[in-house]
């Protein structure tokens, strides 16, 4: 059982990375072998370059552009389960996530009305998003639509995708260094101390379930 875990946040030890690592630890506890990627540590990469080689033999259904994302796309292809976490940047996943998402989803689109996808997508996935916006903000409206769109895209290109949202995150260690009147630092710290550890436990269990095929 191979699990590919991807953190798209440029911060390799903060909210998103912590939850991705925790889900990966859950998968490892169930016996999975983990391949972990921080996108910010990869060689230079980009989104889809519109070469259309994924739509021509012998590469149909496969992005073959050789840049920093190639090993990640390969690891996703070879995985039995995928964990991918992104921070919410300006109301959507961050740029690194979107670069990967474009390549992941577009490679599997045939542009044929007879069949939409080259490959059936059966690899279970866990999509994690962290944000300032509390979890409740994703229950309806534009944020709910946005999450559903990415969930559907991952479901069509990877496989059945579960969503985990961690909202109201602690964005910095010391809020007193910034003139940010929008946040209550005491509340942020309190939530981080009381709720975030429980979220870590929940994603650990989701990671274990992913590895067990549940
Ligand atoms: C460029 C940028 C844009 C952001 N935009 C949003 C946003 O639109 N909505 C939101 O709820 N949080 C936003 N945030 C906050 C992050 O989503 C949040 O702090 C997240 O947990 C950061 O993840 P990390 O700790 O793994 O880096 C933004 C942060 C940055 C740096």
């Amino acid at each position: 059982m191979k699990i590919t875990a991807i953190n798209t946040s440029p911060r390799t030890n903060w909210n998103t990375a912590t939850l991705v690592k925790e889900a990966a630890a859950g998968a490892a506890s169930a016996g999975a072998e983990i391949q972990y990627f921080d996108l910010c540590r990869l060689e230079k990469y980009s989104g889809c370059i519109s070469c259309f080689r994924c739509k021509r033999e012998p590469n149909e259904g496969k992005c073959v552009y050789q840049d920093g994302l190639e090993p990640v796309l390969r690891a996703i292809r070879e995985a039995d389960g995928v964990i991918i976490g992104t921070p919410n940047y300006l109301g959507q996943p961050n740029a690194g996530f979107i670069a990967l998402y474009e390549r992941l989803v577009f490679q599997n689109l045939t542009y044929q009305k007879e069949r939409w996808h080259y490959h059936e997508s059966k690899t279970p996935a866990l999509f994690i998003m962290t944000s300032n916006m509390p979890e409740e903000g994703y229950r309806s409206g534009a944020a709910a639509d946005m999450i559903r769109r990415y969930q559907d895209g991952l479901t069509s290109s990877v496989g059945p995708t579960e969503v985990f949202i961690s909202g109201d995150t602690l964005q910095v260690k010391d809020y007193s260094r910034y003139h940010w009147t929008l946040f209550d630092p005491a509340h942020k710290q309190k939530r981080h101390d009381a709720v975030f550890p429980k979220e870590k436990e929940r994603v650990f269990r989701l990671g274990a379930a992913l590895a067990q095929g549940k």
Side-chain angles (χ1 to χ4, degrees):
M1 167 68 67
K2 283 188 187 168
I3 299 283
T4 297
I6 305 151
N7 162 48
T8 77
S9 171
R11 304 199 293 179
T12 58
N13 271 312
W14 274 75
N15 298 288
T16 313
T18 300
L19 294 176
V20 171
K21 283 176 194 166
E22 217 47 54
S29 78
E33 180 193 321
I34 311 297
Q35 198 165 7
Y36 184 88
F37 296 95
D38 285 311
L39 287 199
C40 66
R41 294 199 199 280
L42 299 177
E43 298 292 317
K44 195 171 164 220
Y45 64 84
S46 77
C48 175
I49 59 158
S50 203
C51 68
F52 302 115
R53 277 185 287 168
C54 62
K55 318 261 175 267
R56 281 168 51 197
E57 283 178 357
N59 305 314
E60 286 181 322
K62 186 176 166 194
C63 175
V64 290
Y65 183 46
Q66 299 294 310
D67 70 356
L69 280 179
E70 190 277 330
V72 183
L73 289 163
R74 184 161 21 102
I76 292 174
R77 213 170 285 131
E78 291 167 1
D80 303 297
V82 173
I83 299 162
I84 180 163
T86 178
N88 180 331
Y89 277 6
L90 309 178
Q92 58 181 5
N94 74 345
F97 177 97
I98 290 175
L100 173 60
Y101 181 82
E102 280 177 8
R103 308 254 301 263
L104 198 54
V105 176
F106 193 65
Q107 66 180 354
N108 200 26
L109 294 180
T110 59
Y111 275 179
Q112 295 165 6
K113 59 184 174 205
E114 297 79 11
R115 62 163 184 163
W116 281 55
H117 299 112
Y118 288 110
H119 306 293
E120 259 190 275
S121 301
K122 290 183 177 166
T123 309
L126 174 61
F127 172 45
I128 298 169
M129 176 169 274
T130 76
S131 67
N132 268 324
M133 183 161 73
E135 199 188 325
E136 307 83 67
Y138 293 87
R139 290 201 186 130
S140 59
D145 292 345
M146 178 271 293
I147 289 290
R148 204 170 308 114
R149 196 165 64 246
Y150 287 102
Q151 182 180 20
D152 288 350
L154 290 172
T155 297
S156 78
S157 57
V158 181
T161 300
E162 187 151 352
V163 175
F164 185 91
I165 290 168
S166 168
D168 204 7
T169 55
L170 187 73
Q171 198 165 0
V172 289
K173 270 202 185 87
D174 183 359
Y175 280 79
S176 73
R177 296 174 64 200
Y178 307 89
H179 299 290
W180 291 351
T181 53
L182 209 55
F183 309 112
D184 173 356
H187 163 79
K188 284 279 194 185
Q189 189 64 54
K190 196 169 156 204
R191 190 209 172 271
H192 184 73
D193 295 340
V195 180
F196 196 64
K198 294 202 174 80
E199 292 180 333
K200 284 167 65 178
E201 289 171 16
R202 279 167 55 208
V203 287
F204 183 96
R205 287 197 294 275
L206 290 174
L210 193 72
Q212 288 157 350
K214 287 183 185 165

